[in-house]
Amino acid sequence: MFKEGMLALVGAGFWETIYMTLVSTFFAYLIGLPLGLILVVTDKDGIRPMALVHQVLGVLINIIRSVPFLILLVAIMPFTKAVVGTVIGAKATIVGLLVAAAPFVARMVESSLKEVEKGVIEAAQSMGASPLQIMLKVLLPEAKPSLLVGSAIAITTILGYSAMAGFVGGGGLGAIAINYGYYRGQTDIMYIMVILLVIIVQVFQEAGMRISRHSDKRL
Amino acid sequence: MAEQNTMIRLSGIKKRFRQKGGELEVLHGIDVEIAKGEIFGIIGLSGAGKSTLVRCINLLERPTAGKVYLDGVELTALPERELRQQRRSMGMIFQQFHLLMQRTALENVCFPMEISGVPKAKAKERAIELLELVGLADRTDSYPAQLSGGQKQRVAIARALATEPKVLLCDEATSALDPNTTAGVLALLKDINERLGITIVVITHEMSVIQEICNRVAIIDGGKIAEMGSVEEIFRTPKTKIGQELVYHEGSNREAYVGKLPHCYRVVFKGGISNEPILGRMMIDCNGVVNILSGNTRHIEEQVYGQMILQFPEEKELREKMIGYLIEKGVVVEEVEYV
C-alpha cells in the first residue's frame, strides 16, 4: 500500500511533529510558567495581592484561549511572518502553537500552584521568606508532581494542535494526514497517521504520569 | 514589668476583617506583656480570636490598630524587608505542621536557614543537631508522609528553632495529636524553654495543655482578654464565667451538674493537703455527707492540686458549717452556678 518514499515521508513527518510539539511546549512554558506564577501570586489571597494585574492578565489569557486554534493561527499570520519569515511549515506552526498554548499553560500552572497548602506558604512567611523565595522554594517545588502531570496534558494538547495546523500549511504528521489522506483520498495513510498520533500521545501521557508519580514524596 | 524583661508587648491590638455586608471585629483591643523566658498560654474557645491574636504577633495578620513590640523593637512600624528579618527571630509551629511535603525532615529543617543565607554545610550540621534535640536523629532522610503526627510536629519544632529564635509561637500545636503524643511534645517544649531559654507562646483550647507547661495564661473570649494571671491563680479561683468554664471542664462531666443540681461547689485542694483525708474528717466532724460529682488532680508548676465538684446537703446550716470547715483548712470553695 505504501509507495516508494512514503516511509521516508512519514519518518520526516514523525520527527517534525515531535520537534514542533517539544519546541513549542518548551516556549509555551517559558512564557506560561511565569504567567501562572503571577496569576497565583497576585490573586487576592496570594502572597502579593494586586487586583489590577491579576484581572488584566486573566482577561488577556481568556481572550486568547477563547479564539479557536485554527482561527488564531490564521489571525496571527502577520506576526508569525514577522517572527520567523514564513507562514507555512513547522517553524511557522511553532509560533502559532506557542501563542495558543502559553495561556493554556498559564492556567494549568495556576491550578497546580493553587494546590499548594496555604498553611505551608504561611509557615514560610513566618520564617521571613520573601515572595521570590516563596515562589522558587515553596510554590514550584511543592507543586512539582502536579506541574509534571500538567505538562503531560499540555504536551498532548499541543500535539493535537500541531496536527490541526496541517490544514493551514503546517508540517508534521497532521499535514501528511490531510494532504494525502484527505485531499488525495488515501484513507489508509490517514489511519496510519492517526494511529501514530495516538501512540505518541500515549507515550507522552504515560511518561509524564510516571515521572510525576516517581517525583511525588507524599505517597 | 520592666521593659528589658519584656519579650513581647501587644498594646491595643484590634483586628477587623472585611466581610460580606460589613466589617467584623475579631479582636477588640488586646494588651499583653510576655516576659523573657516564660511560657505564656493563650486559651479560648474556638472563634474567640486566639489564632488571629498569635498571627498578629509575627504580623502574618496585620492588626487594624495597635502596636506589637518584640524585644523592644516595634514590629508594626517596620518596613517589609526589616520585618522579614525580625521574623527570623520568631519560630512558629502549627496544628497541621505545615511541613514541605517534597523535602526530607533534614531538608525541612534546613529550609529557614537557606532563606536566611546560612551556608549549606553549616545549615546541614545544625539541622542534624536540631533533629537530635527533638529525638529524630534516625529519621533525617524521611519525608513528612513517612512520619507520624508527633514526629511531624517534632520536625516542625526543629525547623522553627533553626534560626535560633528568641520566641516560639505554638498555634494549637498539639490539637491534632493523641494524648500520649501530646504529652511528649509538651515535654519537649518545656525542655526547650528550660535549656535554650526561648520564650514560648502557646495557643490552645485545652486547659490541660496550659496546666502542663505554662507559667502564665490569658483567657480570651469574644476578642477580649477576660482574665490573665498565673496558671495557679486561674486554676484555683477562676473569676470569670469563661474562666470557670475552661477550668471546670477539664476531666469532669460538667454538663451533668451545672445548672441541674443545687448546692454544687468546686473545691480545690493545694499540694500536701491533697494527701490528707480532709473531706472524710469534715463529714465526720460536721456529721453530714456530700455527694462527689467529679474529681481529679493536676500538676501545675511542680505543685499538686486536687479539684472536686461536690454537692452539699440541702439543709442550710449544715451546709454552711461544712463549707466553713473546708475554708478553715485552706481549701478553696466556690459555688457552681445553679440556674
Side-chain angles (χ1 to χ4, degrees), chain B residues 261-267 279 282-283 285-291 293 310-328 331 333-336 338:
Chain B
L261 299 174
H263 315 309
C264 286
Y265 288 77
R266 172 176 180 262
V267 300
L279 211 56
M282 174 201 75
M283 288 194 262
D285 291 359
C286 300
N287 197 18
V289 289
V290 292
N291 184 14
L293 296 168
L310 302 177
Q311 189 186 20
F312 285 81
E314 194 72 40
E315 197 191 325
K316 191 166 178 250
E317 210 177 304
L318 175 61
R319 190 166 72 232
E320 278 169 1
K321 189 178 167 197
M322 292 171 115
I323 291 166
Y325 183 97
L326 288 178
I327 291 172
E328 204 178 298
V331 177
V333 185
E334 226 170 49
E335 184 161 15
V336 176
Y338 172 68

Side-chain angles (χ1 to χ4, degrees), chain B residues 98-150:
Chain B
H98 299 327
L99 296 175
L100 295 153
M101 298 303 282
Q102 308 294 343
R103 282 175 172 238
T104 62
L106 186 74
E107 290 165 341
N108 262 289
V109 181
C110 285
F111 179 76
M113 293 185 272
E114 257 173 68
I115 280 172
S116 51
V118 175
K120 257 209 171 90
K122 207 177 151 215
K124 195 178 163 189
E125 199 179 307
R126 176 154 173 77
I128 291 171
E129 275 172 30
L130 284 165
L131 285 169
E132 264 164 34
L133 175 78
V134 300
L136 286 176
D138 53 336
R139 303 308 299 265
T140 51
D141 294 327
S142 301
Y143 287 93
Q146 300 165 318
L147 300 172
S148 70

Side-chain angles (χ1 to χ4, degrees), chain B residues 37-156:
Chain B
E38 78 172 324
I39 305 186
F40 189 87
I42 298 173
I43 187 169
L45 304 174
S46 54
K50 54 193 191 300
S51 273
T52 307
L53 182 62
V54 75
R55 280 173 170 68
C56 281
I57 296 177
N58 61 7
L59 299 195
L60 282 178
E61 295 281 5
R62 229 170 227 285
T64 317
K67 291 174 178 173
V68 178
Y69 296 86
L70 172 74
D71 207 1
V73 179
E74 190 194 333
L75 299 184
T76 32
L78 294 179
E80 187 73 15
R81 183 179 291 268
E82 283 170 52
L83 171 63
R84 285 205 293 266
Q85 207 62 42
Q86 285 293 330
R87 274 181 180 158
R88 288 169 193 166
S89 53
M90 278 186 285
M92 188 169 185
I93 57 173
F94 306 84
Q95 178 172 7
Q96 295 302 333
F97 326 121
H98 299 327
L99 296 175
L100 295 153
M101 298 303 282
Q102 308 294 343
R103 282 175 172 238
T104 62
L106 186 74
E107 290 165 341
N108 262 289
V109 181
C110 285
F111 179 76
M113 293 185 272
E114 257 173 68
I115 280 172
S116 51
V118 175
K120 257 209 171 90
K122 207 177 151 215
K124 195 178 163 189
E125 199 179 307
R126 176 154 173 77
I128 291 171
E129 275 172 30
L130 284 165
L131 285 169
E132 264 164 34
L133 175 78
V134 300
L136 286 176
D138 53 336
R139 303 308 299 265
T140 51
D141 294 327
S142 301
Y143 287 93
Q146 300 165 318
L147 300 172
S148 70
Q151 289 172 326
K152 280 185 217 171
Q153 196 59 289
R154 284 165 188 273
V155 174

